[in-house]
Amino acid sequence: MDSSEKLSRRDFFKRTTSLTAATALSGIWITSSTFKSCSTAKKAKYVSPNEKVNLACIGIGNRGGEIIREFAKTGNCNIVALCDVDMGAPHTLPVMGMFPKAKQFQDFRKMFDAMGDQIDAVTVGVPDFAHFPITMLAMSLGKHVYVEKPLARTFFENEMLMKAEKKFGVVTQMGNQGHSEANYFQFKAWKDAGIIKDVTAITAHMNSARRWHGWDTNIKSFPPGQPIPSTLDWDLWLMEAQKHDYNKDYVNGQWRCWYDFGMGALGDWGAHILDTAHQFLDLGLPYEISMQKATGHNDFFYPQSSTILFRFPKRGNMPPVDITWYDGVDNIPAVPEGYGVSEIDPNIPTVAGGKIQPAKLNPGKIIYSKELTFKGGSHGSTLSIIPAEKAKEMANQLPEVPKSTSNHFMNFLRSCQGIEQPRSPFSVSGPLSQVFSLGVMAQHLNTTIKFDRDSKRITNNNFANELLRTTPREGWEQYYKMV
């Protein structure tokens, strides 16, 4: 065990295993739905194709609000309930005004108790760490679930959600929208036609500025407590996470900055850049994850820039693949000759009206095979063969790419009606999210992790192996016992 592991072990247990007296005395409110779901799960059912899906939306501000708007645009659902731990705060008011007939709740458990029989499906648009308990309870109650990416924060949370998908028989979808756009259909068609084959390396890059860039990386503690806004149920916001005093730098998107709550640039953008390569190259889980660079590493929030190497073994007749992830405004990967221009996909969604700002190299990937090199962006962006001369030479060999029958939101709703199959169910998106969980762990510990794909254990670092699982706060253990 190296010195960095000792430091992380000491700090980790100091921060996460002790409960304050205030937390212990606050009391945990457990609903009848929670108890029933532990013992007798409700059977999932499809909605009639002649009826709209009754949708309850959990997390209605910021990105959660954007999800709700996209579902409403389909015309194929009724928004019957809105739920947010900060209901009535400025960032939740627009959605509340859009759907005045929807019943309003601050606690998702009370929502299910009050109107569970009126809900067919739910959207989960809350911070990364809070995905798991909401999603697990909804599935156990027979509700179909649409969950923002990444699916969950820790490796075994993802594992349990995949098991729950099978156990409860619900329709599931992770919110990596590009998985229902041209990127998905082109990659599949090119792979099936043998255009994409013998891939050996992928460079994935996200070099736009992030929220934590410029923060003091020499900090020795979390930020001090501040007065809790009157609209916010802070204890419920924490859910299964360990005790933290409220600070404005934890909420409204700032949670993404912290290891305890978010998944950094990798968890935020990895699913929009690597989703199709991971699925159609059958990558599964890596056997080694190593930090190549971690500028400004500290124990609390993400580095100013990171380079992470993921190594995947040979799969059938496909050769081993190395994926190198780059983030940070000055951590620009080398690009091959003939790369051309880096463009931003115009379909990248806004969050609270804001659009991603151009970077020196815009988000995307470079895929290297034994014969060809491909350039691609993020989300729904399609691949192109580079250099341009090679693309012209190959033009007549490229297969026709089918058009998408539905966007990601409509695909989920039609799947709830039994008309389509979800394109990013947990069986597909779960292993992808596990890759990100392992990458974030390597970032947090600033080390190399060796992973046994069969036993799903980290073999070179006992402390890291312990972190594959979540230690829930007192009163939230039941969600980890449902499968």
Side-chain angles (χ1 to χ4, degrees):
M1 181 171 67
D2 61 25
S3 60
S4 66
E5 185 182 343
K6 291 179 182 177
L7 176 64
S8 297
R9 181 188 296 273
R10 180 190 67 206
D11 291 345
F12 178 83
F13 283 110
K14 180 179 179 181
R15 297 207 314 259
T16 63
T17 59
S18 62
L19 287 171
T20 66
T23 302
L25 294 173
S26 65
I28 302 298
W29 189 86
I30 301 178
T31 72
S32 58
S33 290
T34 304
F35 282 123
K36 283 189 292 187
S37 62
C38 290
S39 55
T40 306
K42 294 186 178 179
K43 184 176 178 60
K45 60 180 180 180
Y46 289 114
V47 179
S48 168
N50 298 320
E51 298 177 358
K52 293 183 178 182
V53 177
N54 288 334
L55 198 61
C57 302
I58 305 170
I60 71 168
N62 301 316
R63 180 58 189 155
E66 298 290 340
I67 295 170
I68 298 167
R69 291 181 180 91
E70 291 299 324
F71 272 110
K73 286 180 186 177
T74 68
N76 200 26
C77 64
N78 301 310
I79 308 297
V80 298
L82 301 174
C83 181
D84 198 289
V85 297
D86 205 5
M87 186 68 77
H91 61 283
T92 65
L93 292 176
V95 168
M96 292 170 65
M98 287 179 64
F99 306 101
K101 295 182 179 179
K103 294 182 180 179
Q104 298 176 8
F105 299 88
Q106 194 161 27
D107 191 319
F108 69 98
R109 300 165 297 186
K110 292 183 178 180
M111 180 191 75
F112 284 126
D113 265 358
M115 55 182 304
D117 59 351
Q118 302 169 53
I119 297 169
D120 299 316
V122 301
T123 66
V124 181
V126 300
D128 296 349
F129 77 96
H131 289 180
F132 179 82
I134 297 171
T135 304
M136 185 60 80
L137 179 57
M139 296 169 78
S140 73
L141 296 173
K143 310 307 177 188
H144 309 297
V145 285
Y146 181 102
V147 185
E148 261 300 279
K149 51 77 209 155
L151 187 55
R153 191 176 70 87
T154 64
F155 184 90
F156 273 105
E157 284 180 340
N158 287 300
E159 190 79 3
M160 284 187 281
L161 290 178
M162 286 187 280
K163 290 180 179 178
E165 177 185 45
K166 294 180 180 179
K167 177 178 179 178
F168 300 123
V170 297
V171 171
T172 63
Q173 183 99 300
M174 188 176 81
N176 48 334
Q177 311 95 300
H179 227 60
S180 288
E181 303 298 339
N183 166 50
Y184 174 92
F185 294 95
Q186 182 207 37
F187 202 113
K188 184 179 187 303
W190 283 20
K191 170 67 166 51
D192 291 345
I195 303 299
I196 300 175
K197 64 178 181 179
D198 295 330
V199 172
T200 58
I202 300 174
T203 295
H205 47 88
M206 200 294 168
N207 301 110
S208 299
R210 310 305 292 151
R211 294 171 181 267
W212 59 91
H213 286 167
W215 285 12
D216 178 9
T217 58
N218 293 315
I219 65 168
K220 304 299 180 184
S221 64
F222 286 105
Q226 296 175 334
I228 301 172
S230 61
T231 54
L232 175 63
D233 185 335
W234 175 244
D235 187 72
L236 182 57
W237 186 94
L238 286 169
M239 293 208 185
E240 85 287 358
Q242 299 299 329
K243 173 67 177 177
H244 288 266
D245 292 327
Y246 169 82
N247 187 282
K248 64 179 177 57
D249 275 334
Y250 291 145
V251 297
N252 295 333
Q254 296 297 88
W255 48 265
R256 198 181 299 284
C257 310
W258 307 91
Y259 289 115
D260 282 14
F261 300 128
M263 297 283 285
L266 176 63
D268 188 16
W269 280 81
H272 294 312
I273 295 172
L274 291 168
D275 56 343
T276 45
H278 183 268
Q279 178 176 356
F280 296 122
L281 297 181
D282 193 25
L283 291 175
L285 300 173
Y287 66 87
E288 183 176 294
I289 310 96
S290 60
M291 290 302 296
Q292 310 288 295
K293 181 177 184 177
T295 304
H297 177 268
N298 67 92
D299 286 335
F300 302 94
F301 60 86
Y302 287 88
Q304 303 298 295
S305 59
S306 300
T307 305
I308 313 172
L309 174 62
F310 298 86
R311 310 203 73 183
F312 297 85
K314 180 178 180 181
R315 292 108 35 239
N317 62 356
M318 292 184 283
V321 177
D322 285 353
I323 295 180
T324 308
W325 169 269
Y326 294 82
D327 65 52
V329 294
D330 296 319
N331 189 30
I332 312 299
V335 299
E337 185 176 352
Y339 177 84
V341 178
S342 169
E343 298 177 344
I344 295 181
D345 183 347
N347 297 310
I348 294 176
T350 63
V351 177
K355 293 191 77 72
I356 183 174
Q357 296 301 307
K360 293 179 181 178
L361 185 66
N362 290 313
K365 64 256 185 185
I366 306 164
I367 301 174
Y368 299 90
S369 72
K370 292 180 179 179
E371 296 180 4
L372 297 172
T373 302
F374 307 88
K375 177 182 72 172
S378 67
H379 292 72
S381 296
T382 55
L383 297 172
S384 58
I385 298 170
I386 56 174
E389 294 77 15
K390 187 64 176 177
K392 292 178 182 178
E393 178 187 326
M394 296 283 296
N396 292 333
Q397 303 175 42
L398 301 179
E400 183 177 353
V401 177
K403 300 291 185 182
S404 179
T405 58
S406 55
N407 69 18
H408 213 48
F409 308 96
M410 181 63 90
N411 173 241
F412 173 70
L413 295 174
R414 287 181 176 173
S415 297
C416 294
Q417 296 169 312
I419 300 171
E420 295 185 356
Q421 292 294 316
R423 299 192 186 99
S424 191
F426 293 175
S427 57
V428 170
S429 54
L432 176 65
S433 295
Q434 287 180 317
V435 173
F436 304 144
S437 294
L438 293 170
V440 163
M441 189 183 299
Q443 281 181 304
H444 195 174
L445 302 180
N446 194 19
T447 191
T448 294
I449 290 172
K450 295 185 183 297
F451 186 77
D452 187 310
R453 287 162 44 105
D454 295 323
S455 66
K456 296 183 180 178
R457 294 185 66 255
I458 293 172
T459 59
N460 69 322
N461 188 316
N462 290 333
F463 175 58
N465 190 61
E466 294 170 10
L467 297 185
L468 292 173
R469 299 181 183 276
T470 302
T471 303
R473 192 161 57 112
E474 184 179 1
W476 293 85
E477 303 93 342
Q478 65 270 21
Y479 301 101
Y480 296 81
K481 299 175 183 178
M482 291 183 173
V483 291

